[in-house]
Amino acid sequence: MSTKYFETLPSKLKNFFQKYPPGKLRYVTHPTSITNPMANPFISNRHPITNRFRDPVYSARRMSDIVKLASRYGVEDLLPTWQGVKLFHQEKYDKKQFMKGVMWPKLHKHEREPRVMKSNEEIDSILAKARVARQVKKVKKVKTWV
Amino acid sequence: MSFNYRHISKAGARILERVNNPVARFAKGKEKQRIQSIPEFMRPDLPIVDEAKKFKTEQDWKFLPGDRVVIVRGEHKGNVCVVKGRDEHTNGYLLDDNGPSKQVVVPKEYWQEGQTSHVVAIPKTMTQKDLRLVADIEDEAHPGQVKTVAVQNIVFKGTYYDEDYKKILPYRCVFGQTDLVIPWPRPEPVEDGNLATPPEVTREQTYWVDSVTRNSIPKKAFLTIRNPRSKYRRGKITAKDLKFLVKPEMPLTKSEQAALAMKEKLGEIKKLELTEDDKILISERVKSYLDKQSNSATTA
């Protein structure tokens, strides 16, 4: 078996395998010391002296990119483990939980959305009405009780 | 007793601050109080104007000291006076004896030379809108003679350099007849001081360059005009200067030492290498996955 298929992989994925090769040993699944060669690059690990957490070597966005590429070539299980569930495309949309306000928004449709003029005739009729209303002079109330 | 005790205590600071920067609703009253506290012979007749509304240019003032003006409003209406000065705080004009004046009592400390009484008459300042410029123009009915007229309004058109004022001034024209220019009054001549140099002497060229290549100053004369050992000369930094300029090397703190040790330790860690077997494993997996996909596509 040649390494032809490996060479044809996208450079992003290939570079990742160069740095974190899939060997017989597995990368640890829990936080460990950053000096540990088997430390997982997708999760935060501890500094041995200060005992403080360091950010993961690969951020959530970069990890997502690599997992997505690996899933396209069926080599997902050769990557170090990651936290949570990674879903892509339609699968992600299908499992999405919509918010209540999005599913059942308040008010009626005609109350929510601005009124759209259907035709020029409609606009003309409104303007004509307004014109008539302007022409009608307001009659002052006569004080009949005085 | 001095009010400046702020270096000792902060007590009353709020009230002291309010004296200079009063609250908007008290500002008017405070200003009135301030004006009333000024002795009458020093008190301005007109309200003090804001900094933004103060007259600055000749276009703003319209009349300069030396101009003749006629009073068009008030008790002295119709009097022709000469502008003697101007009050920049109130945008007011000080006129000569024909103008309005007031009698004030002046304390002896402020008496001027030749003053014999406490009570003196001092001129009242007048606003621009109460005055009109008086000018002598040619009389068209009697050629060769001049007539004195009051100008209703003035416009400014174009500029010229005035030799006496030593600056650029606008031409003062009659509104509606811009070809009729009313010249600015001549300023009072200023006498030169004992140490003054006449302008002709300053403009006289006394040095001529004879060569482009040869320096006119002899080499030995340089020492008399320049200090070669000056500390301000560029490119000469002594050991003493260096001591001031260079930051001393501070010993590393414990945490910095630990960080450096950690960096070294991290460098020593042997990283895993991608072997040929790994590459073959990945290739196999990719091939089988792609084959499976193509098969499923053909069967479908």
Side-chain angles (χ1 to χ4, degrees):
Chain A
M1 182 70 191
S2 67
T3 59
K4 193 181 86 184
Y5 281 91
F6 174 76
E7 299 302 335
T8 52
L9 285 177
S11 60
K12 209 181 238 182
L13 188 59
K14 215 161 63 180
N15 289 343
F16 181 82
F17 279 129
Q18 296 278 8
K19 284 178 197 167
Y20 298 96
K24 283 170 190 172
L25 294 163
R26 299 302 299 152
Y27 292 93
V28 289
T29 54
H30 54 273
T32 171
S33 165
I34 54 168
T35 53
N36 186 354
M38 297 315 287
N40 193 326
F42 292 155
I43 59 171
S44 310
N45 292 301
R46 279 183 187 279
H47 191 282
I49 295 169
T50 60
N51 212 21
R52 296 180 75 159
F53 273 108
R54 285 252 178 128
D55 283 344
V57 180
Y58 278 77
S59 67
R61 183 189 57 76
R62 288 174 74 204
M63 182 268 278
S64 199
D65 284 353
I66 292 202
V67 172
K68 201 185 247 184
L69 274 177
S71 74
R72 201 187 288 170
Y73 293 95
V75 286
E76 263 173 290
D77 54 334
L78 299 180
L79 298 176
T81 51
W82 58 87
Q83 288 172 337
V85 185
K86 271 272 142 217
L87 299 171
F88 304 115
H89 311 300
Q90 187 62 36
E91 195 185 358
K92 188 178 172 184
Y93 183 76
D94 291 342
K95 298 213 171 165
K96 189 178 178 183
Q97 261 202 332
F98 286 97
M99 286 184 288
K100 218 163 93 180
V102 178
M103 299 291 278
W104 302 286
K106 285 184 179 179
L107 306 181
H108 280 281
K109 196 187 172 188
H110 72 269
E111 287 171 320
R112 280 199 309 272
E113 290 167 9
R115 192 170 175 233
V116 181
M117 296 294 180
K118 279 181 183 170
S119 62
N120 288 341
E121 287 80 48
E122 201 178 346
I123 298 166
D124 288 343
S125 71
I126 290 165
L127 288 174
K129 272 181 201 169
R131 209 173 296 128
V132 169
R134 219 180 298 133
Q135 281 165 1
V136 173
K137 277 184 181 176
K138 275 187 183 172
V139 181
K140 221 178 183 182
K141 255 189 180 176
V142 182
K143 289 178 181 174
T144 52
W145 60 88
V146 179
Chain B
M1 185 196 146
S2 168
F3 286 103
N4 197 1
Y5 53 84
R6 268 184 269 184
H7 58 290
I8 301 164
S9 164
K10 217 177 141 53
R14 185 170 54 90
I15 290 150
L16 274 177
E17 221 168 71
R18 212 181 267 182
V19 171
N20 292 329
N21 195 13
V23 184
R25 65 178 189 279
F26 295 147
K28 213 174 169 185
K30 288 272 173 197
E31 184 61 19
K32 197 179 169 188
Q33 210 177 28
R34 197 181 69 78
I35 296 285
Q36 278 176 349
S37 67
I38 301 170
E40 207 192 346
F41 67 97
M42 289 163 90
R43 194 182 301 161
D45 306 309
L46 302 170
I48 289 168
V49 291
D50 295 339
E51 193 60 42
K53 285 184 182 174
K54 274 184 186 173
F55 289 167
K56 285 176 186 84
T57 58
E58 279 71 28
Q59 282 98 325
D60 293 336
W61 281 106
K62 292 189 182 178
F63 323 127
L64 294 184
D67 263 327
R68 280 191 304 151
V69 289
V70 61
I71 300 168
V72 293
R73 219 170 273 128
E75 211 181 308
H76 297 261
K77 187 177 171 182
N79 284 14
V80 176
C81 318
V82 177
V83 178
K84 287 287 176 191
R86 54 195 188 184
D87 185 12
E88 278 160 15
H89 300 290
T90 59
N91 288 348
Y93 298 87
L94 287 161
L95 307 179
D96 64 354
D97 298 342
N98 286 343
S101 62
K102 58 177 179 182
Q103 285 205 325
V104 289
V105 180
V106 181
K108 226 166 191 179
E109 298 91 69
Y110 294 94
W111 277 23
Q112 287 181 338
E113 222 177 293
Q115 191 170 334
T116 49
S117 168
H118 278 283
V119 183
V120 287
I122 58 165
K124 268 184 173 179
T125 45
M126 293 213 72
T127 55
Q128 198 180 69
K129 66 176 181 183
D130 295 345
L131 305 172
R132 295 286 182 276
L133 186 66
V134 171
D136 293 328
I137 58 167
E138 271 185 35
D139 195 350
E140 284 173 10
H142 308 284
Q145 289 183 5
V146 290
K147 60 176 179 180
T148 308
V149 292
V151 182
Q152 176 67 20
N153 203 356
I154 293 164
V155 285
F156 296 97
K157 200 180 172 188
T159 52
Y160 73 103
Y161 179 74
D162 197 300
E163 276 290 338
D164 296 336
Y165 284 101
K166 307 279 181 209
K167 64 177 175 181
I168 287 173
L169 288 179
Y171 285 111
R172 190 163 62 167
C173 313
V174 175
F175 183 82
Q177 198 181 341
T178 46
D179 57 327
L180 195 59
V181 177
I182 303 163
W184 295 102
R186 292 301 93 204
E188 282 183 16
V190 183
E191 277 185 28
D192 292 339
N194 291 334
L195 298 170
T197 311
E200 301 82 48
V201 176
T202 58
R203 291 200 188 95
E204 195 184 336
Q205 188 169 1
T206 54
Y207 173 73
W208 301 93
V209 178
D210 10 312
S211 169
V212 184
T213 50
R214 188 177 54 78
N215 198 329
S216 56
I217 304 167
K219 260 188 185 177
K220 281 181 183 174
F222 269 116
L223 279 174
T224 62
I225 55 169
R226 289 179 201 164
N227 178 10
R229 287 175 199 81
S230 168
K231 63 175 176 177
Y232 302 108
R233 286 186 75 76
R234 282 182 182 182
K236 299 247 177 181
I237 296 168
T238 60
K240 200 181 169 190
D241 297 332
L242 263 181
K243 203 181 165 188
F244 278 106
L245 292 169
V246 179
K247 192 178 152 192
E249 270 187 37
M250 296 296 285
L252 293 174
T253 59
K254 273 186 183 175
S255 56
E256 279 171 343
Q257 284 172 1
L260 279 178
M262 189 66 212
K263 211 175 178 183
E264 246 177 55
K265 202 177 175 186
L266 280 171
E268 284 168 10
I269 295 165
K270 275 193 179 178
K271 283 182 181 171
L272 299 178
E273 280 184 12
L274 187 71
T275 58
E276 280 299 306
D277 293 345
D278 289 334
K279 284 184 187 175
I280 289 165
L281 171 72
I282 293 164
S283 297
E284 274 175 3
R285 293 290 299 277
V286 173
K287 186 176 183 293
S288 64
Y289 180 77
L290 293 177
D291 286 347
K292 206 191 280 177
Q293 284 218 324
S294 62
N295 284 339
S296 63
T298 47
T299 49

